[in-house]
Amino acid sequence: MQRNIGGVGVGGQPWVLRRVRLTWLSFMLFFILVFFPLIAHYYLTTIDEAGGPDKPIFGRRPGGELCEAKHVQDLCRIRESVSEELLQLEAKRQELNGEITRLNLRIEACKRSIDSAKQDLLQLKNVISQTEHSYKELMAQNQPKLSLPVRLLPDKEDPGLPPPKSVRFCRLRSCFDYARCPLTSGFPVYVYDMGSYSWGDYLDPLVKQAFAASVKSNIYVTDNPNIACLYLVLVGEIQETSPLPSPLELEKQLKALPYWRSDGHNHVLVHLSRKSMIQNFLYNVSTGRAAVAQSTFLEQQYREGFDLVVSPLVHALSEPNFLEVPPQVPVKRKYLFTFQGERVESLRSSLQEAPPQSFEEELEGDPPADYDDRIIGTLKAVQDSHLDQVLVEFTCKNPKPSLPTEWALCGEREDRLEVLKASTFALVIAPGDGQLVSSAGSGMRLFEALEVGAIPVVLGDHSKLPYHQLIRWSEAAIIVPKPRVTELHFLLRSLSDNDLLDMRRQGRFLWETYFSTSENVLNTILASIRTSIQVPAAPIKDAPAIEIPHKAGKLAGTDANLADNGDLDLGPVETEPPYASPRFLRNFTYTAADTYRAWNRAPGPFHLFPHTPLDPVLPSEAKFLGSGTGFRPIGGGSGGSGKEFQAALGGNVPREQFTVVMLTYEREEVLMNSLERLNGLPYLNKVVVVWNSPKPPSDDLLWPDIGLPIVVVRTEKNSLNNRFLPWDVVETEAILSIDDDAHLRHDEIMFGFRVWREARDRIVGFPGRYHAWDVNHQSWLYNSNYSCELSMVLTGAAFFHKYYAYLYSYVMPQAIRDMVDEYINCEDIAMNFLVSHITRKPPIKVTSRWTFRCPGCPQALSHDDSHFHERHKCINFFVKVYGYMPLLYTQFRVDSVLFKTRLPHDKTKCFKFI
């Protein structure tokens, strides 16, 4: 290793030279950075001074003196461009500052306005709240409503009832605890388990099974005995091979029931006769305050107004086949009347050929126990006269066991029904013993006669028919005292065909509603008790609507063709929230005041099947029962005040809206166009779109905004019956059923709504159709040709009441709905059949329209060749189910003449009547 002692670097240069070079470079750099700017400044200053003080080097020089210098021309252009931009930005800045100032002022003004509006809104809310409170108080004072409040539950410990003088004289007022059944309780019913008492093992298996199935489907049954209003105990029918319990043993077992409470009040002992016509093991049994419901009663046993006479249970588990039920026409059948039976214990020789003595002659001696001998002789004399063909037989090969003095049934049930199918009248002779007020044998004869359409003729006015307290039997049967048997032939021949058809239809209604199935029998028992204690029926539940979310698009416009109504004012477009029809107004008065009308009127409007398994006292039923009887003063009143026709809605309900129910299936463009056409339609509450396709609407589909709710409902399956489901989103009584391709003007819809309001029990629509009888093929035909006569109105464009939606979906025979699903057709015919069957009135056609299809819409199902063939089949099938042709012809049509009526301004007062 050598040291660099001599100061020589690695390159051989001395260290001093390197330092000298570094010093020189530093000096040159300092000179350039310091003196060159000074020299440049001096030079420029000299030029500026040479030009004078008014000519700065960077100022604007006339003639571009500085710019003559070639090396600064580029700098001048840049400077001028930047100066222009700066001036423009400054101007914009000042303009924006002014705009910001103005906006700040507006914001402050808006804030003050919002604060003021909030104060006004708060005051309005207070006023509205006070007004609503005052309105509720006035309504509570002047028009109390029976709503459905929170259910009231009775106490577990019942208050002690005052003991009646004798249980033989039990009545509801003395033996029934009303405290357990408040009006708003909902009528809960507890049914004892048939395995909880010992004789339950002896019950007929079919009766037990049918009763259990009926209990399971009943809407009133509860599992909580502590809140029950009524307690049901099935006590019969006992199997024929089982020993009957003794009266003392049966009393002991009844008192052992867990909720018997020493006297059995609010209990009902139910005995349903199926095979045996002689069981009455509750006779001589002290039932305390418990009511008895059975078919056979002795006078000493029956407590009028407390116990129930029920019909036998014939169809225990099987449903009646409506196609096997004979039609109600022709009215006259082969036999005028028939009777088959045998009375073992006759008074004297019942088959003697000698003419009978007169009643006066017989009464002169010892009075007979009954008139059965005279009845037999008189009926045989009518048969021998051959004036009419009758069938009377007083002996049987194999008579059924019967009670003493009662007429035993002959043969098998199928043989008896064949005879009754050929009978215009069926005789039911009451038991000869007056102590036997009702019997299962007579009840069976009555059941079979009603089932096949033979009009019952009851000989003996002392006999109690099933549910006689509530059913007006005189409308379905002829009840004749036995002394008038000699006048019976004359009486039966004097009835007109119209009267016979009315009685036959009423009998069919009673059989279908109250007797035909085990479910109907149980519901009728409960309904009769509920009606007697004046508890309102539970309303039918609406069909729950599963809504499909959808996006609303642009505001819908108004079709020029639909808006061209001339100078007609169709009515106000509602700016307030949708107005629902009043509900639960008359449930209590319906139960209390209209009992007979509800139970007995099959053809009357809005009273069909009032106590069916569904017990349909509907939420909106108040409108039908009493809304059209109000009186309005003449002159200056709200009605009849001289207003123009279109300025007032008309009808007897001052305020009302309707709901459009539109059925659609995978025609989105057609549907959107139809919805847009509803924009601006007066009195429209909402639109319910029944989406009948399994595929949901397109995600990008924009629905029109018509200013009212559009509810899209998903259905479980593709069925035309979905059109008439009572959807819970329908809150109005009036429903406009319309197809998605129906093309109606607003004035046409409004006119139809006005007409419907004055005929609320009818179908009011536009396209009419009619039925015709094919003589060659002996069948009914459906006809859509232009005609001056009609019997149907298509529900593709028609108004009807929501009540009919309940009846169509829940009460009308299921076989009809099944056929609609099978053919995907005929739902409109089914609705016309139903309404005509109930009201016995034809529909109402408005305007001269015969079709309503929109031009250019896709082809509908009705254009298929098989469409009319299917409708022919539907009509004939429906006639078989109903038993007759319910459709009625009409030449009545309503046209909008008054729409064009104008009244002078000086004639705005009505003329007063003198």
Side-chain angles (χ1 to χ4, degrees):
M1 172 80 68
Q2 292 183 354
R3 283 178 173 263
N4 187 4
I5 301 175
V8 182
V10 178
Q13 295 179 353
W15 177 80
V16 176
L17 293 178
R18 291 173 51 195
R19 186 169 184 177
V20 170
R21 289 180 180 176
L22 183 60
T23 303
W24 174 253
L25 290 174
S26 299
F27 175 76
M28 291 300 294
L29 182 60
F30 176 77
F31 178 80
I32 292 171
L33 295 176
V34 175
F35 288 99
F36 182 76
L38 293 175
I39 295 171
H41 180 268
Y42 174 76
Y43 175 74
L44 295 175
T45 304
T46 304
I47 294 175
D48 199 22
E49 291 177 353
D54 298 333
K55 297 181 179 179
I57 187 170
F58 296 107
R60 292 183 178 274
R61 296 178 178 270
E65 296 176 358
L66 181 60
C67 293
E68 293 178 356
K70 185 177 181 179
H71 60 280
V72 292
Q73 289 180 357
D74 295 336
L75 294 175
C76 290
R77 286 193 297 269
I78 294 173
R79 182 187 64 79
E80 292 176 356
S81 176
V82 171
S83 298
E84 292 292 337
E85 291 180 1
L86 290 175
L87 291 174
Q88 293 176 1
L89 290 175
E90 178 64 22
K92 290 183 178 180
R93 186 185 68 81
Q94 294 177 359
E95 182 180 356
L96 291 175
N97 286 336
E99 184 68 21
I100 291 173
T101 302
R102 289 192 297 272
L103 291 177
N104 286 332
L105 294 176
R106 291 182 61 184
I107 290 173
E108 294 298 328
C110 291
K111 288 181 178 179
R112 291 192 296 271
S113 177
I114 290 174
D115 293 337
S116 177
K118 287 182 178 179
Q119 295 295 329
D120 295 341
L121 179 61
L122 183 60
Q123 294 178 1
L124 288 175
K125 287 183 177 180
N126 293 333
V127 171
I128 292 174
S129 177
Q130 295 175 1
T131 304
E132 289 179 347
H133 183 70
S134 301
Y135 174 75
K136 291 180 180 179
E137 289 182 348
L138 290 175
M139 291 295 293
Q141 295 174 3
N142 301 320
Q143 190 179 357
K145 295 183 179 180
L146 180 63
S147 302
L148 293 178
V150 178
R151 187 160 129 174
L152 302 177
L153 305 180
D155 296 331
K156 294 182 180 179
E157 298 297 332
D158 292 340
L161 286 174
K165 295 181 180 180
S166 171
V167 294
R168 175 71 181 81
F169 301 102
C170 259
R171 299 296 182 267
L172 288 174
R173 62 181 179 274
S174 60
C175 292
F176 191 85
D177 184 9
Y178 282 87
R180 297 197 62 85
C181 305
L183 294 178
T184 53
S185 64
F187 192 62
V189 177
Y190 178 78
V191 181
Y192 282 94
D193 183 10
M194 286 167 280
S196 63
Y197 42 89
S198 58
W199 79 89
D201 298 333
Y202 302 142
L203 295 175
D204 185 285
L206 288 180
V207 174
K208 289 175 60 176
Q209 190 174 354
F211 186 78
S214 302
V215 166
K216 187 176 181 181
S217 62
N218 193 276
I219 60 176
Y220 295 108
V221 173
T222 179
D223 295 331
N224 188 355
N226 295 322
I227 66 172
C229 162
L230 200 69
Y231 299 86
L232 287 188
V233 185
L234 182 65
V235 298
E237 168 178 281
I238 301 295
Q239 299 181 62
E240 296 179 352
T241 57
S242 300
L244 295 178
S246 65
L248 292 178
E249 181 183 357
L250 189 56
E251 288 182 20
K252 183 178 179 180
Q253 294 180 11
L254 289 175
K255 292 180 180 180
L257 293 175
Y259 306 102
W260 188 258
R261 297 183 179 91
S262 75
D263 58 1
H265 61 270
N266 291 45
H267 278 64
V268 179
L269 308 180
V270 181
H271 183 283
L272 300 177
S273 300
R274 190 179 74 87
K275 284 185 177 181
S276 175
M277 300 292 107
I278 60 175
Q279 282 191 17
N280 185 18
F281 59 85
L282 290 179
Y283 183 65
N284 288 330
V285 174
S286 176
T287 57
R289 283 192 169 99
V292 178
Q294 62 182 17
S295 300
T296 302
F297 280 103
L298 293 177
E299 186 177 11
Q300 299 85 352
Q301 177 187 12
Y302 180 68
R303 296 167 290 185
E304 182 71 38
F306 191 71
D307 293 329
L308 284 176
V309 179
V310 302
S311 63
L313 181 63
V314 179
H315 299 287
L317 293 177
S318 60
E319 294 287 337
N321 188 351
F322 290 99
L323 298 181
E324 295 180 358
V325 176
Q328 300 184 34
V329 290
V331 177
K332 300 292 182 61
R333 296 178 177 177
K334 177 181 179 180
Y335 299 110
L336 178 64
F337 63 83
T338 58
F339 178 80
Q340 293 176 305
E342 180 175 341
R343 180 173 178 268
V344 179
E345 299 179 7
S346 59
L347 295 178
R348 297 185 182 90
S349 176
S350 300
L351 302 179
Q352 60 184 356
E353 298 296 334
Q357 294 179 334
S358 66
F359 289 119
E360 293 79 2
E361 292 175 348
E362 180 129 4
L363 289 175
E364 288 178 357
D366 295 332
D370 59 22
Y371 295 99
D372 284 359
D373 281 348
R374 300 306 182 190
I375 291 173
I376 294 173
T378 302
L379 296 181
K380 288 181 66 65
V382 173
Q383 184 179 27
D384 295 339
S385 67
H386 301 291
L387 294 177
D388 293 287
Q389 192 170 0
V390 299
L391 175 63
V392 289
E393 296 178 355
F394 300 107
T395 57
C396 300
K397 294 182 179 179
N398 53 344
K400 303 296 182 182
S402 62
L403 295 172
T405 73
E406 185 183 17
W407 291 91
L409 296 171
C410 293
E412 300 298 329
R413 167 177 157 81
E414 291 75 14
D415 299 331
R416 297 195 300 269
L417 291 180
E418 289 301 320
V419 174
L420 291 174
K421 288 178 182 180
S423 307
T424 305
F425 298 96
L427 298 187
V428 180
I429 303 178
D433 187 357
Q435 302 296 322
L436 189 60
V437 296
S438 68
S439 65
S442 297
M444 183 65 71
R445 290 183 182 275
L446 183 69
F447 180 95
E448 293 176 350
L450 295 176
E451 181 178 8
V452 296
I455 300 174
V457 179
V458 181
L459 279 175
D461 55 354
H462 66 280
S463 182
K464 304 293 184 183
L465 300 183
Y467 316 109
H468 61 92
Q469 304 99 324
L470 297 171
I471 294 178
R472 189 179 292 117
W473 279 103
S474 60
E475 297 181 355
I478 299 175
I479 303 176
V480 181
K482 286 186 176 181
R484 293 194 179 275
V485 65
T486 55
E487 303 171 298
L488 182 62
H489 189 200
F490 169 80
L491 175 62
L492 299 183
R493 295 187 68 181
S494 65
L495 295 176
S496 66
D497 289 355
N498 289 335
D499 293 336
L500 294 179
L501 183 58
D502 288 342
M503 296 183 72
R504 185 170 292 166
R505 290 181 56 251
Q506 183 68 11
R508 172 76 175 268
F509 159 74
L510 296 177
W511 177 76
E512 288 181 354
T513 308
Y514 306 125
F515 310 139
S516 58
T517 64
S518 60
E519 187 176 4
N520 288 348
V521 170
L522 174 62
N523 283 290
T524 305
I525 293 174
L526 296 182
S528 60
I529 298 174
R530 181 192 53 74
T531 305
S532 299
I533 63 176
Q534 297 182 337
V535 175
I540 297 180
K541 294 182 179 180
D542 292 321
I546 304 175
E547 299 185 24
I548 301 177
H550 59 280
K551 297 182 294 184
K554 63 179 181 178
L555 184 65
T558 302
D559 193 332
N561 295 326
L562 300 179
D564 186 15
N565 298 312
D567 57 350
L568 295 179
D569 180 15
L570 300 181
V573 179
E574 301 292 342
T575 57
E576 59 184 14
Y579 172 74
S581 299
R583 311 179 74 186
F584 302 108
L585 288 178
R586 288 198 61 199
N587 276 11
F588 177 71
T589 54
Y590 174 80
T591 302
D594 299 326
T595 298
Y596 261 111
R597 180 169 59 176
W599 277 70
N600 295 281
R601 288 314 303 154
F606 318 115
H607 298 292
L608 179 66
F609 314 128
H611 298 283
T612 56
L614 297 168
D615 218 1
V617 176
L618 304 182
S620 56
E621 191 164 4
K623 286 294 181 182
F624 304 117
L625 299 178
S627 63
T629 57
F631 171 76
R632 299 179 184 274
I634 298 177
S638 58
S641 60
K643 291 185 178 182
E644 294 181 0
F645 178 77
Q646 74 277 4
L649 183 58
N652 295 306
V653 182
R655 182 187 184 201
E656 189 170 18
Q657 295 178 340
F658 64 91
T659 302
V660 168
V661 176
M662 186 177 295
L663 188 73
T664 186
Y665 185 87
E666 296 184 0
R667 296 197 294 184
E668 294 180 351
E669 183 179 356
V670 174
L671 174 64
M672 296 302 109
N673 293 335
S674 297
L675 293 176
E676 275 200 60
R677 288 194 292 269
L678 298 177
N679 184 38
L681 181 60
Y683 303 109
L684 179 59
N685 181 272
K686 70 178 63 169
V687 179
V688 178
V689 178
V690 181
W691 193 265
N692 228 20
S693 172
K695 298 189 301 184
S698 304
D699 295 335
D700 56 349
L701 182 63
L702 294 179
W703 297 70
D705 182 6
I706 61 174
L708 290 168
I710 297 179
V711 182
V712 186
V713 179
R714 178 186 290 111
T715 58
E716 296 182 357
K717 63 177 182 179
N718 177 21
S719 172
L720 294 179
N721 293 315
N722 296 331
R723 179 196 296 274
F724 301 125
L725 281 174
W727 301 106
D728 55 4
V729 292
V730 177
E731 300 176 318
T732 61
E733 296 179 3
I735 295 178
L736 172 58
S737 174
I738 191 169
D739 288 341
D740 57 0
D741 58 353
H743 196 277
L744 295 174
R745 300 194 310 271
H746 285 188
D747 63 304
E748 293 175 322
I749 296 176
M750 283 309 305
F751 180 69
F753 182 47
R754 295 173 189 274
V755 174
W756 177 86
R757 281 169 52 84
E758 301 187 25
R760 308 174 71 87
D761 59 336
R762 315 274 281 275
I763 298 178
V764 177
F766 298 89
R769 301 292 185 265
Y770 66 95
H771 66 289
W773 179 252
D774 186 354
V775 179
N776 297 328
H777 297 87
Q778 293 294 297
S779 62
W780 294 101
L781 297 177
Y782 170 84
N783 203 314
S784 63
N785 295 330
Y786 288 87
S787 172
C788 295
E789 195 170 53
L790 61 99
S791 59
M792 293 175 281
V793 166
L794 300 186
T795 56
F799 284 94
F800 65 89
H801 200 286
K802 188 180 179 182
Y803 186 91
Y804 294 123
Y806 292 98
L807 297 184
Y808 184 98
S809 301
Y810 301 140
V811 179
M812 188 179 69
Q814 181 63 38
I816 297 179
R817 292 189 294 272
D818 291 341
M819 190 167 195
V820 170
D821 287 336
E822 178 183 354
Y823 286 156
I824 317 179
N825 199 343
C826 306
E827 86 287 356
D828 47 358
I829 301 178
M831 177 58 82
N832 277 271
F833 265 70
L834 174 66
V835 177
S836 295
H837 171 66
I838 296 171
T839 63
R840 302 307 301 138
K841 299 177 184 178
I844 296 179
K845 173 176 170 53
V846 293
T847 75
S848 60
R849 270 182 177 264
W850 206 258
T851 183
F852 54 86
R853 300 296 177 187
C854 63
C857 290
Q859 190 174 13
L861 293 175
S862 59
H863 292 85
D864 191 355
D865 293 337
S866 62
H867 175 76
F868 286 95
H869 297 288
E870 293 172 351
R871 294 173 85 81
H872 298 329
K873 295 178 182 179
C874 287
I875 285 185
N876 288 281
F877 179 79
F878 297 165
V879 168
K880 289 183 180 180
V881 173
Y882 281 96
Y884 75 111
M885 168 54 75
L887 298 180
L888 299 173
Y889 293 108
T890 180
Q891 295 180 352
F892 180 75
R893 191 183 79 192
V894 183
D895 286 324
S896 55
V897 177
L898 288 179
F899 255 125
K900 304 183 182 302
T901 300
R902 293 291 181 268
L903 295 177
H905 296 290
D906 58 344
K907 302 295 184 183
T908 56
K909 292 293 183 180
C910 282
F911 296 101
K912 293 184 180 293
F913 293 100
I914 298 177

